[in-house]
Amino acid sequence: QVQLVESGGGLVQAGGSLRLACAASGIIFSLHTMGWYRQAPGKQRELVARITFSESTNYADSVKGRFTISRNNAKNTVYLQMNSLKPEDTAVYYCNAIRGSNMYWGQGTQVTVSS
């Protein structure tokens, strides 16, 4: 059974930092592209950052220079370091794993940035 379990969300003031983690089980983690998505109230889910099995990364324009995605294959974990947080970063953040036609989602973790 595949499980993606996010942690690290919470309430932070604008300008602060948070580090999200997503622990995966039930998949060959090192072969999957891992991503972080977010969904704010009333908005569509959007890609925040993605890291491939070869550690190539890409980011949404809105987070470039502020967020960093990384992975630790030995721990089956992907991270999202979020710095210089803004109120518009407030959303539920979801972990995602993709390999071929298989896609998996975590349950999400709330990030709230106060102004």
Side-chain angles (χ1 to χ4, degrees):
Q1 181 180 358
V2 178
Q3 282 194 312
L4 301 177
V5 180
E6 300 101 334
S7 61
L11 174 64
V12 64
Q13 288 189 331
S17 298
L18 283 174
R19 188 193 195 202
L20 305 183
C22 171
S25 59
I27 60 172
I28 305 174
F29 180 82
S30 61
L31 297 182
H32 282 70
T33 289
M34 301 300 298
W36 287 97
Y37 288 71
R38 67 186 180 187
Q39 188 166 18
K43 295 188 176 181
Q44 289 190 331
R45 191 172 297 189
E46 62 175 359
L47 174 68
V48 176
R50 181 188 293 138
I51 184 167
T52 68
F53 65 89
S54 60
E55 304 204 9
S56 174
T57 60
N58 64 287
Y59 297 89
D61 287 343
S62 59
V63 307
K64 282 181 181 176
R66 300 188 298 123
F67 291 11
T68 302
I69 190 170
S70 62
R71 65 191 299 160
N72 184 327
N73 290 339
K75 294 185 177 181
N76 287 359
T77 301
V78 61
Y79 304 96
L80 185 68
Q81 177 66 44
M82 306 187 293
N83 299 328
S84 302
L85 282 160
K86 303 175 180 180
E88 51 264 43
D89 295 318
T90 295
V92 178
Y93 284 70
Y94 296 91
C95 178
N96 170 273
I98 299 175
R99 183 187 180 198
S101 60
N102 296 316
M103 180 183 292
Y104 309 99
W105 293 94
Q107 81 287 351
T109 186
Q110 176 70 46
V111 171
T112 303
V113 184
S114 63
S115 57

